[in-house]
Amino acid sequence: MAKKKSTNRKSKSHSHKKVSHLHKIYKTKRKTKDHDQIHQDLKLKNAYELINQTIDHDIPGAAQNYCVHCARYFIDEVALKEHFRTKLHKRRMKALETEPYTQEEARRAAGIGSFIAPKKFEIKTQPDKLSLTKTFEQTMDKDIIIQNFISSFK
């Protein structure tokens, strides 16, 4: 005859089921940036600053390998390239395709104004540091030329 399990003991997986203060700790333990904050980081100037950070030895990889879409640091370039192929990164990229939620959209949802469908963005995996630097320098040169051109008419 088989032994009966003791019904007086709870299993380990249910030991913290009713402890409410632990839920908040576990929920906020791995909190990342929200989608609207990441949309701000995806702008060329902000992305350039995040990818080309100064060396900080308190951050993994000395802050030299950063995924802008997921707001995560990686130990080395290989780990960053592997991350680009993961489901988590692809899900985050898919979620970033829609326009971030704004106050105007909240007003339209409340009945103030008419409905406008959210815009779709084309999100691509971040380029390597060299190509991003070239793009940033080219656009900065254009911005300087435009500012000089506008200031010449003042």
Side-chain angles (χ1 to χ4, degrees):
M1 191 155 132
K3 287 186 176 179
K4 279 181 133 182
K5 272 190 165 180
S6 174
T7 56
N8 296 337
R9 260 185 4 199
K10 288 186 177 180
S11 65
K12 286 186 178 183
S13 63
H14 298 288
S15 61
H16 291 291
K17 191 170 186 177
K18 300 292 182 184
V19 183
S20 63
H21 73 279
L22 292 177
H23 292 291
K24 188 172 185 180
I25 293 170
Y26 292 137
K27 189 176 181 180
T28 59
K29 186 175 183 180
R30 293 178 189 92
K31 180 80 172 114
T32 59
K33 285 186 177 180
D34 291 326
H35 295 278
D36 57 339
Q37 294 171 324
I38 291 175
H39 271 281
Q40 293 296 322
D41 290 345
L42 287 174
K43 293 180 179 174
L44 185 62
K45 185 178 180 184
N46 295 341
Y48 177 78
E49 291 172 358
L50 285 170
I51 290 176
N52 295 314
Q53 294 181 24
T54 58
I55 293 176
D56 184 4
H57 294 290
D58 294 334
I59 298 174
Q64 299 303 302
N65 303 299
Y66 183 75
C67 177
V68 179
H69 302 102
C70 302
R72 289 182 62 188
Y73 292 95
F74 293 93
I75 295 173
D76 57 359
E77 190 73 25
V78 175
L80 180 64
K81 298 260 187 219
E82 287 178 11
H83 165 73
F84 290 154
R85 293 189 305 253
T86 61
K87 266 188 185 179
L88 294 174
H89 181 75
K90 291 176 183 177
R91 283 183 194 153
R92 177 59 68 103
M93 299 259 298
K94 184 79 171 173
L96 289 172
E97 286 180 354
T98 58
E99 184 180 25
Y101 192 73
T102 61
Q103 183 62 35
E104 291 81 24
E105 190 173 350
R107 289 183 181 150
R108 288 192 298 259
I112 304 170
S114 59
F115 175 74
I116 300 172
K119 297 177 187 174
K120 290 279 187 178
F121 293 105
E122 184 181 342
I123 303 290
K124 295 180 181 176
T125 301
Q126 71 188 35
D128 58 343
K129 288 184 180 184
L130 293 175
S131 60
L132 182 69
T133 304
K134 287 179 185 176
T135 307
F136 181 72
E137 288 172 354
Q138 289 172 353
T139 56
M140 290 307 293
D141 292 341
K142 289 178 185 176
D143 290 343
I144 292 169
I145 292 169
I146 291 170
Q147 288 173 357
N148 291 338
F149 183 72
I150 292 171
S151 63
S152 65
F153 287 109
K154 289 183 180 181

